[in-house]
Amino acid sequence: MYKGILLSVVASIFFGIQYFYATKIDLIGEVDIFLWRISICFIFITLFIFFSRNKNEVFKIFRIIKNKPIFIIGILFSSSLLALQQWLFVWAPLNGKAMNVSLGYFLLPISMLVVGRFLYKEKITLLQKIATCSALFGIFHEVYMMKALPWEALAVAIGFTLYFIIRKYLKINSLAGLWFDLLFFMPVVLFMASRGNLSIDYFYLDVFLFFKVVVLGFISAIAFMAYIASSKKLSFIVFGLLGYLEPIFLVLASFAIGEKISDEKLLTYIPIWISVLFLIFEGILKIIKNRIEYNNKY
């Protein structure tokens, strides 16, 4: 379990870096940044898969598609949901909506907890219950302050939950499944490129611009691979609750790009930070317990 927690932390850190880094790429519009990021991320993940054991999972999914062509519909839906999330991730910080999307990532763990508890019948530990109650206090306060939930927040919370439900149902909750999600989106990238997007003309205006875009794709690939790997090693509930790490880093990224948090919003973020501390504490206890059991056994 601790490996899953570590991977989740790595993913959250890299997602936060990516959130901030995208705002530092000048000369390129948000659509082109999104398309370049997805394309280069796909290349890096492809290289990783085909130089590792994960390529066997890719061939397995190809065989499933060959035997059950209707399987493609599920992957198309999964791919569309992922594309929406990634577009929001790039669009929000460039349009002053970073806080709205961050709220969505605060709502996401609660959404996944509800699904894990009632759809998959997973058990919730005492510390997880305390963490959930603390986070809910912060979320209710945020909703009260905003008087309504912004559509960006709902798109993240509902969209990502559906994404993981579909992946679990299709049994493609692996890096190979992510590769197919990106592969199925490539025709859209090519179509947008044919309409004038994904141009290389602006690379002539800044000799370092292409390097910056490649780094963005690499950061995305690391974040994605760590995120998917952690989802395989953790229960739906624990994976969801650890999602509170990501919005914390997104909020820090929001501060870095100039957005501010008011004193009133402290009642939103402090309970959520306390929630994360409870989850970290539980993770530490489990690591200690596993180490003691291992020492006693050997």
Side-chain angles (χ1 to χ4, degrees):
M1 177 180 174
Y2 64 90
K3 289 182 179 179
I5 293 174
L6 178 61
L7 285 166
S8 181
V9 172
V10 170
S12 296
I13 291 173
F14 273 86
F15 276 130
I17 293 172
Q18 172 187 259
Y19 208 53
F20 170 75
Y21 186 80
T23 66
K24 300 303 176 182
I25 299 180
D26 301 322
L27 305 176
I28 306 180
E30 61 201 40
V31 174
D32 279 0
I33 290 178
F34 166 67
L35 294 175
W36 276 112
R37 172 174 169 258
I38 290 293
S39 301
I40 296 175
C41 175
F42 177 67
I43 292 171
F44 277 121
I45 292 177
T46 299
L47 290 172
F48 179 84
I49 283 178
F50 285 94
F51 283 100
S52 68
R53 298 176 182 176
N54 289 279
K55 59 179 176 291
N56 296 325
E57 286 288 328
V58 171
F59 297 141
K60 179 181 177 181
I61 295 175
F62 269 124
R63 288 193 294 269
I64 293 174
I65 292 174
K66 180 181 178 181
N67 296 327
K68 296 180 180 179
I70 196 172
F71 196 77
I72 293 175
I73 296 176
I75 298 180
L76 282 172
F77 190 29
S78 172
S79 178
S80 300
L81 287 170
L82 181 63
L84 171 64
Q85 299 305 320
Q86 298 318 302
W87 175 75
L88 278 172
F89 209 84
V90 172
W91 172 83
L94 296 175
N95 290 274
K97 301 293 184 180
M99 285 297 184
N100 288 356
V101 169
S102 296
L103 176 60
Y105 283 99
F106 282 134
L107 292 170
L108 176 60
I110 298 300
S111 176
M112 294 186 70
L113 181 145
V114 171
V115 170
R117 179 67 184 90
F118 295 103
L119 182 61
Y120 300 120
K121 309 301 180 184
E122 295 177 355
K123 294 182 179 180
I124 306 177
T125 66
L126 176 60
L127 285 176
Q128 289 170 7
K129 289 178 180 178
I130 296 172
T132 301
C133 291
S134 180
L136 279 173
F137 178 86
I139 290 169
F140 286 143
H141 177 265
E142 181 66 14
V143 173
Y144 173 77
M145 292 293 296
M146 299 184 75
K147 306 301 180 185
L149 283 173
W151 69 267
E152 299 94 341
L154 291 174
V156 169
I158 297 174
F160 246 136
T161 302
L162 284 174
Y163 174 71
F164 283 106
I165 290 174
I166 292 169
R167 287 173 62 86
K168 198 173 183 70
Y169 177 76
L170 295 176
K171 297 180 180 179
I172 56 170
N173 191 26
S174 64
L175 190 57
L178 172 63
W179 185 81
F180 272 92
D181 287 333
L182 296 173
L183 175 67
F184 276 46
F185 190 68
M186 285 302 106
V188 177
V189 173
L190 293 175
F191 172 76
M192 295 294 289
S194 70
R195 300 291 297 271
N197 295 104
L198 220 61
S199 171
I200 63 172
D201 292 343
Y202 29 66
F203 292 141
Y204 297 111
L205 303 175
D206 183 348
V207 293
F208 296 107
L209 188 56
F210 181 72
F211 174 75
K212 292 177 183 178
V213 171
V214 170
V215 170
L216 178 63
F218 178 73
I219 292 171
S220 299
I222 296 294
F224 271 133
M225 289 190 290
Y227 194 56
I228 296 302
S230 69
S231 72
K232 287 188 65 179
K233 297 180 179 295
L234 300 169
S235 69
F236 212 82
I237 288 176
V238 174
F239 176 64
L241 288 174
L242 280 170
Y244 277 124
L245 289 170
E246 185 172 337
I248 288 176
F249 287 109
L250 296 188
V251 168
L252 292 176
S254 299
F255 291 160
I257 62 179
E259 294 192 29
K260 297 181 179 180
I261 181 172
S262 62
D263 292 340
E264 293 82 1
K265 285 185 176 288
L266 289 176
L267 281 177
T268 295
Y269 294 111
I270 289 177
I272 290 174
W273 291 331
I274 292 173
S275 173
V276 171
L277 290 176
F278 274 113
L279 294 175
I280 293 173
F281 179 62
E282 182 182 49
I284 292 172
L285 287 179
K286 288 191 175 183
I287 291 172
I288 294 173
K289 180 181 177 182
N290 291 338
R291 185 61 57 86
I292 292 173
E293 290 177 351
Y294 178 84
N295 292 335
N296 291 338
K297 186 176 181 179
Y298 296 99

